[in-house]
Every structure is written in structure tokens, then in C-alpha cells.
Amino acid sequence: MPVQADLPSSTPLSVPQRGAGDADATGAHGRGAVIGVFDSGLGGLSVLRAVRNHLPQADLLYVADSGYAPYGEKSDEFIGERSEHICRFLMSQGAEVIVVACNTATAAAVHHLRQRWPEMPVVGVEPGVKPAVAQSRNQRIGVLATPFTLQSQKFRTLIERHGGQAQIVLQPCPGLAREIEQGQLDSGPLRELVQRFSQPLINAGVDTAVLGCTHYPFVAPLFQQALGDGVRIIDTAEAVSRQTARLVRDLPISHPARTGTSTGSIRLWSSADPVHLARVAYAWLDLQTQAGALPKE
């Protein structure tokens, strides 16, 4: 099925008002920038939302690779191939910065993508262990993530680098991202999974919980309810969006992302059901736009 390359402009997400002191509108607001964001499914919409808040004038392109989700059940080689295919497509649509809004794809493929396109700024995501250690009062921290993320060398290196002397409880959450993909954020099965995965953290007495998958912020209220108000929840989407904004701001003035024109539009594609993606984007983000089918080749 051919992709709808010229989708109608979307209804912009609401964003904070910027002050008059932001002199460099290109750098501060993202005017001229085209940013590609992708995830194994719908979870990366949490990162898309955060990027939009920081760069309201940038054009955003989002690919949900839901037809091949979850990535956590796939090999590194397969994830690398899918990530490269999606990046090629995003670049064909004008992307000048790529955000890998998926912890699993970051762990499996971000190094390969940076080697494949050394001139392309590529932002990855990783669980927010560093800010969790900094903010925890009792140094008992829970990390909720997919089994793949917790088993990856990249995550082990992250713990060695930033874990310090903290007691870190690793909680794999098999099936949670898949359930969130259904789009019903208050379903009985989803609540049961959240409660089950929260219990070991409660038993360990953690005071800080890291959401280590981009799907999980959409059920942060359920985790907060299960864990209790005394537990701080860390979501890394904000840090990823700040890094993306810094990369855009620091690009040379001659770079196309600094000299082009953009309208703040958002375009969506899915390798599964574009209609489902569009419906979820509206339900979760109040984003009114069409979605196209991601080309297979």
C-alpha cells in the first residue's frame, strides 16, 4: 500500500508559551527543523509529545513499527534492520534529526545507526537511572522495563556508571507494552499487570521508580496509584526532548534544519494499522491527523 506522503497538516498539540526573550527562534523553537521519531509501536508518542513541547515549530515525523512489535522478542539483527529501514524512510521524508524513541531499539541498534549515518544526529533513550539515584532519598530504586532492556549490555553499563551504592530493583514487565498498544489505558488486564509488576517494588520499599519503556508513561497514573503517592516516578521523555532541542540548536547555521521552513506539522505512519495509530494519537494526545502506511521496502 503506498504511503500518503503528503498528509494534511495536523492540529498542533498545545504547547507552553515562549517568552519574548527567545531571540533565536530557529534554535529555540525548532523552526526549519524536520525531526523523525520512531518506536516499535505507540509508546514513542510520549516522546513525540515532549519533543513538540520543546520544539513547537519543528515538523515532526512519527513511525510506529507496530507490525513488528514487540521488539523485545526479536533479535538484535532484526531490530537493526528494521531501525535502518525506518531511518531511510524518515530521511526520504526530510528528517534531519532522528529520535529512537524505543529503549529496546536504542540498546540494539543506536550504535549501528550512528555508524551508518555519521552525519545524522541520532538521539536514543535509556532508563533514567542517573536522575533516579540523584533524587532518591533512601537509595532504593525500582526500574520497570522490558526483559530485553534489562538484559542488554547497554543497560548493565548504565547501572555500573550511574547506579552508585543504590539498591536497584530490576522489574521486567513482559506483556505490558503489548497491552498498552491496545489503546485502552484503564482496562482491567492493564491494571492487573501494573499491580503485579509494582508489588516487588513495594516489597523492596523503593521511593523512586524509573519507567524504562516509552510506553509506560501513558500508564504512569496507574503506577502511581499502585506504588503510592510517596514514590517518585521518573520518565525520561523530558530528558530526551531536551537533548533533541540542544542538537537542533547547536547545528551549524548553514544546516538545512536551521535554514529551511517548517509549519509545526505532525505526520504519522504505521507498519500495522494506520487508523488505529491515528485514533490512539487523538485519544492520548488530542492530536487530530491522518496516518499513512509505512512502505515495506
Side-chain angles (χ1 to χ4, degrees):
M1 179 177 178
V3 67
Q4 300 178 34
D6 296 314
L7 298 173
S9 296
S10 60
T11 300
L13 299 171
S14 60
V15 297
Q17 295 298 311
R18 307 287 178 171
D22 290 332
D24 182 3
T26 303
H29 297 172
R31 189 181 66 222
V34 182
I35 301 170
V37 183
F38 78 91
D39 181 30
S40 61
L42 306 177
L45 290 171
S46 65
V47 176
L48 184 79
R49 174 176 58 190
V51 172
R52 165 57 81 219
N53 286 341
H54 280 269
L55 298 169
Q57 294 181 4
D59 288 343
L60 303 183
L61 316 173
Y62 183 82
V63 169
D65 202 21
S66 299
Y68 298 89
Y71 278 179
E73 299 175 359
K74 307 297 192 300
S75 68
D76 284 9
E77 180 180 8
F78 180 85
I79 297 168
E81 290 173 354
R82 290 303 304 166
S83 297
E84 186 169 335
H85 169 66
I86 292 168
C87 285
R88 283 198 303 268
F89 170 73
L90 289 170
M91 286 187 284
S92 77
Q93 299 298 308
E96 298 137 340
V97 177
I98 298 291
V99 180
V100 185
C102 173
N103 291 81
T104 301
T106 296
V110 76
H111 179 67
H112 167 72
L113 297 177
R114 288 168 176 160
Q115 287 187 319
R116 176 69 177 81
W117 292 289
E119 75 288 351
M120 171 72 69
V122 178
V123 182
V125 299
E126 60 185 20
V129 172
K130 183 178 180 179
V133 170
Q135 297 179 40
S136 174
R137 298 177 302 276
N138 68 7
Q139 291 299 284
R140 297 178 186 173
I141 297 161
V143 180
L144 300 143
T146 65
F148 181 95
T149 294
L150 297 181
Q151 294 166 6
S152 69
Q153 180 59 50
K154 187 175 180 67
F155 179 75
R156 289 195 293 269
T157 301
L158 181 70
I159 292 293
E160 293 170 1
R161 186 179 302 150
H162 300 301
Q165 300 302 310
Q167 176 188 341
I168 299 181
V169 180
L170 305 183
Q171 179 56 51
C173 303
L176 182 56
R178 187 191 298 274
E179 190 63 35
I180 293 170
E181 285 278 318
Q182 302 306 310
Q184 300 299 320
L185 299 181
D186 196 31
S187 68
L190 189 53
R191 282 184 170 274
E192 291 175 9
L193 286 174
V194 168
Q195 186 63 49
R196 183 198 311 166
F197 298 140
S198 296
Q199 195 58 51
L201 276 62
I202 296 170
N203 295 343
V206 308
D207 73 349
T208 306
V210 176
L211 302 181
C213 172
T214 54
H215 283 76
Y216 300 173
F218 289 111
V219 291
L222 298 186
F223 274 116
Q224 193 72 76
Q225 183 179 17
L227 294 168
D229 292 338
V231 175
R232 183 191 301 267
I233 292 180
I234 304 291
D235 167 22
T236 54
E238 184 67 16
V240 172
S241 63
R242 287 197 301 268
Q243 173 65 5
T244 304
R246 280 193 294 268
L247 283 175
V248 171
R249 183 186 63 234
D250 293 342
L251 289 170
I253 295 298
S254 59
H255 193 280
R258 299 296 302 273
T259 60
T261 59
S262 60
T263 60
S265 67
I266 300 177
R267 292 186 285 164
L268 311 175
W269 291 269
S270 173
S271 60
D273 182 0
V275 174
H276 180 63
L277 171 59
R279 286 173 177 167
V280 168
Y282 177 70
W284 293 3
L285 305 183
D286 197 26
L287 173 62
Q288 298 184 41
T289 188
Q290 296 181 12
L294 179 70
K296 292 185 178 181
E297 298 295 339

